[in-house]
Amino acid sequence: MERGLIHIYTGDGKGKTTAAIGQGIRACGRGNKVYMVQFLKGQSTGELSTLKKLEPDFKVFRFEKIKDFVWNLTQSQLKELKSQINTAFLFIKNTIKNCDCDLLILDEIMGILSNNFIDTGSVIELLKNKPEKMEIILTGRDAPKELQDIAHYVCDIKSIKHPFQCGIPAREGIEY
């Protein structure tokens, strides 16, 4: 890529991660190396087994060992989670510094920001100092305005209707 841009997929609708992965597959198909760092996702998902087949061209990284919602965690678990998130953020900084990939996906980074595990200013600094040719995608609900202001693409994925509202639980192969 001649010039890497910044994308944000945000909103309360389903499909932010799916959109990011689709963009990653497109980039991978054109010979680009893709890294995806996932936050706040502990369970196995259908896309992980498919993306494993694309290695080493498309790699997924998860640093968190705790597999529960943030609001269910004890203080001790929150402290451990914050440490794991800091390890992931250091990995991201090094990936950017060393230009280890062409497209970097920061999946659910907005959840990290909204839970105050990392401050928005640190992410903005990271984005402003990214290599010229590196493309970066950020996903998650409630993208801060400061991030939207520096992004080149901002997509707000809105939920109009969702089966969960009718009591239909998440389904394997569709929601995860």
Side-chain angles (χ1 to χ4, degrees):
M1 285 179 268
E2 290 297 313
R3 179 172 179 217
L5 302 179
I6 299 167
H7 308 234
I8 293 177
Y9 301 133
T10 193
D12 65 354
K14 176 187 175 328
K16 297 174 288 292
T17 298
T18 306
I21 289 171
Q23 186 64 59
I25 289 171
R26 176 179 283 162
C28 184
R30 293 296 188 180
N32 293 291
K33 187 171 189 176
V34 180
Y35 280 8
M36 180 168 72
V37 177
Q38 286 195 309
F39 293 102
L40 304 176
K41 291 188 174 178
Q43 71 186 36
S44 177
T45 61
E47 64 266 21
L48 289 180
S49 58
T50 298
L51 294 176
K52 190 91 175 136
K53 296 173 187 174
L54 297 177
E55 287 185 2
D57 300 317
F58 194 131
K59 289 186 179 181
V60 179
F61 299 89
R62 287 180 166 186
F63 293 85
E64 300 157 29
K65 293 174 179 57
I66 295 174
K67 297 174 179 16
D68 202 350
F69 294 108
V70 171
W71 55 85
N72 290 335
L73 302 179
T74 65
Q75 287 302 320
S76 171
Q77 290 172 319
L78 283 169
K79 185 177 178 183
E80 182 182 347
L81 178 59
K82 184 168 175 91
S83 173
Q84 294 162 358
I85 289 168
N86 286 335
T87 299
F89 200 65
L90 181 60
F91 172 82
I92 291 165
K93 285 181 178 180
N94 287 330
T95 296
I96 289 173
K97 178 183 168 194
N98 299 327
C99 206
D100 290 334
C101 62
D102 302 300
L103 171 60
L104 177 61
I105 301 169
L106 305 179
D107 188 35
E108 295 298 343
I109 188 81
M110 304 310 170
I112 297 304
L113 297 176
S114 66
N115 282 290
N116 298 311
F117 290 116
I118 295 174
D119 65 281
T120 303
S122 297
V123 176
I124 290 171
E125 180 181 335
L126 202 72
L127 296 173
K128 286 186 174 182
N129 294 307
K130 74 171 190 63
E132 178 68 23
K133 293 183 178 186
M134 184 181 284
E135 198 92 0
I136 298 182
I137 298 174
L138 301 94
T139 74
R141 294 172 181 242
D142 305 317
K145 182 171 180 349
E146 304 93 331
L147 282 178
Q148 292 184 42
D149 288 346
I150 65 170
H152 302 93
Y153 299 89
V154 178
C155 297
D156 185 8
I157 300 174
K158 294 181 183 266
S159 180
I160 305 299
K161 187 176 182 181
H162 194 286
F164 188 75
Q165 297 163 328
C166 302
I168 299 171
R171 296 166 302 140
E172 186 175 331
I174 302 299
E175 280 83 24
Y176 63 95

